[in-house]
Amino acid sequence: MSSSTSPSSLDVITFGEAMMLLVADRPGPLEEAQAFYKRTAGAETNVAIGLARLGLRVGWASRLGTDSMGRYLLASMQGEGIDCSHVICDATQRTGFQFKGRVTDGSDPPVEYHRKGSAASQMGLADIDEPWLLSARHLHATGVFAAVSASTLPAARRSMALMRAAGRSVSFDTNLRPTLWGSADLMRREINQLASLADWVLPGIDEGRLLTGLNSAQDIAQFYLAQGARLVVVKLGAEGAYYQGSHQGQSVSGHVEGFPVAEVVDTVGAGDGFAVGVVSALLEGLDVAQAVRRGAWIGARAVQVLGDTEGLPTRAMLLETGL
C-alpha cells in the first residue's frame, strides 16, 4: 500500500517513537530466554495501527534510523496503510528497540528499553509540519512522546496547542513512563499540563492517583475537567472504565463493565487498544457509553495476545460484535 495518503484526507495524526520489539518465547527472566519473536512497539504506533485497521485515515510522524530495525518498522507501518510521509529516516541515527518477557500469572511482563539517544529522541519543534497537522480532524497524543527527550516535550506541547487552537479535537493518554522523566514531580507537572491541552483525557486509575493525589475515579475525572478537558475516561482494568464530562452538548457520566477474559497473556498494549476503541467511536459520532464499551472490548482483546498489536481488530471484526 502507498506510504502516503492525501494530507487533506487524514482523520488522525500522532507523533511518537516506534521501537522494534523482541518478545521472549517462554516465561521466566529475560536473561534466560533463548529465542524471541519480532514485533513492533510504541504507544502511539499501536494506536495508529489500531485506528488504521478500523478504516480511519491515519498519519504518523517520527524519526527512524536507516538500520534494519528502522526499515522493518517503516515497512510495517506502511503495510497498515498509514501515511508515513512525515517519518524521517536518518542514516546517522539508530532505531530504538525493547525486550519483553513472558509471564503466566496475568501480571505486567518485564520490559527492557534500549531507546536512549535514538533517532526519535531527536524529534522537536522542527518536525511539526503545521499545514499537514492542521489538515487532520484529530490528534492523538500520549505522555510517552513527551517524555522521550528534552526536545520532544515542547513538540508535544506545541502540536496539542495548535490543534486545540484550530478547533480540532485532541485525545491524551497519560501513559506514564517514570524512568524517562527526571523526577516524579516533573512528570506530574508536565503530564498534567499536557492534559490541560486535550479534549479527551484517558488516564488509568493508578496513573490518575499518582498524577492528582486523588483516589476515586470520579475525583480524578473532576480534576481534569476542571483543567479544561471536555471528557475524562478513567481506565479501571478488568473492572472496565468510568467516564465523566460533556459530549455533543450534554453532560455524561457512568461506568462501563470490562469484558471477561479467560486468560491474560500480555497486559502491554491494553491501554492503547482502549484508546483505539474510544477515539474511533467518538470520531464516528457514537455516544460516550458506546465509545467506552468499544474501548473495553478492544482492550480485552489486546491482553489475550503476545504482542502489542495482534489483538487490534479490523473493521469487519468490529462489525461482527455490533460495537
Side-chain angles (χ1 to χ4, degrees):
M1 200 172 286
S2 170
S3 65
S4 179
T5 307
S6 171
S8 62
S9 66
L10 291 175
D11 294 305
V12 181
I13 281 174
T14 190
F15 293 76
E17 178 172 26
M19 290 170 288
M20 193 178 79
L21 170 63
L22 295 168
V23 190
D25 68 337
R26 67 190 71 184
L30 270 171
E31 62 271 21
E32 295 179 5
Q34 296 297 313
F36 294 85
Y37 296 101
K38 184 175 168 182
R39 301 285 191 275
T40 65
E44 299 84 7
T45 49
N46 291 343
V47 174
I49 290 169
L51 293 173
R53 286 185 188 169
L54 294 181
L56 280 81
R57 296 155 300 188
V58 183
W60 169 57
S62 190
R63 287 178 177 250
L64 296 167
T66 57
D67 46 33
S68 61
M69 292 185 290
R71 296 194 300 273
Y72 164 73
L73 292 167
L74 183 61
S76 296
M77 298 299 284
Q78 290 173 336
E80 298 284 352
I82 292 166
D83 176 356
C84 296
S85 62
H86 286 66
V87 176
I88 295 174
C89 297
D90 186 344
T92 69
Q93 302 293 329
R94 60 184 180 82
T95 306
F97 65 98
Q98 68 179 81
F99 292 99
K100 183 164 68 173
R102 297 279 298 278
V103 295
T104 56
D105 60 0
S107 63
D108 292 342
V111 177
E112 185 176 287
Y113 294 99
H114 297 267
R115 69 196 309 178
K116 187 174 179 63
S118 67
S121 72
Q122 310 303 312
M123 292 181 73
L125 293 170
D127 291 274
I128 300 174
D129 179 341
E130 290 189 26
W132 181 72
L133 174 64
L134 296 177
S135 72
R137 298 167 54 201
H138 182 82
L139 172 71
H140 179 70
T142 84
V144 182
F145 176 60
V148 168
S149 71
S151 61
T152 60
L153 177 57
R157 227 184 265 132
R158 178 69 174 155
S159 62
M160 294 174 74
L162 282 169
M163 290 292 272
R164 195 82 183 270
R168 311 293 195 273
S169 55
V170 178
S171 53
F172 181 64
D173 188 337
T174 51
N175 226 326
L176 301 184
R177 296 291 187 274
T179 57
L180 295 181
W181 293 96
S183 70
D185 286 342
L186 177 66
M187 178 178 72
R188 276 190 288 268
R189 183 171 67 249
E190 295 296 350
I191 292 289
N192 286 336
Q193 183 183 25
L194 290 167
S196 73
L197 299 172
D199 299 286
W200 311 330
V201 180
L202 310 172
I205 183 68
D206 292 334
E207 292 178 327
R209 287 168 176 160
L210 180 60
L211 289 167
T212 68
L214 303 170
N215 190 58
S216 72
Q218 291 92 330
D219 288 344
I220 292 166
Q222 287 165 10
F223 175 91
Y224 289 111
L225 291 170
Q227 280 201 341
R230 287 194 288 126
L231 175 69
V232 182
V233 184
V234 183
K235 295 167 281 189
L236 305 173
E239 296 175 23
Y242 171 81
Y243 62 90
Q244 186 177 341
S246 62
H247 183 62
Q248 297 175 341
Q250 295 189 332
S251 295
V252 294
S253 66
H255 175 260
V256 169
E257 294 288 340
F259 283 77
V261 173
E263 180 186 6
V264 176
V265 174
D266 183 354
T267 58
V268 177
D272 301 328
F274 185 88
V276 168
V278 171
V279 170
S280 63
L282 291 177
L283 289 178
E284 290 166 26
L286 300 185
D287 66 37
V288 177
Q290 290 172 304
V292 176
R293 185 166 170 77
R294 182 186 288 185
W297 177 70
I298 297 179
R301 285 178 54 89
V303 302
Q304 298 178 71
V305 296
L306 188 61
D308 293 3
T309 60
E310 285 92 328
L312 297 173
T314 62
R315 173 62 65 175
M317 293 175 187
L318 186 67
L319 291 174
E320 287 175 6
T321 69
L323 294 170

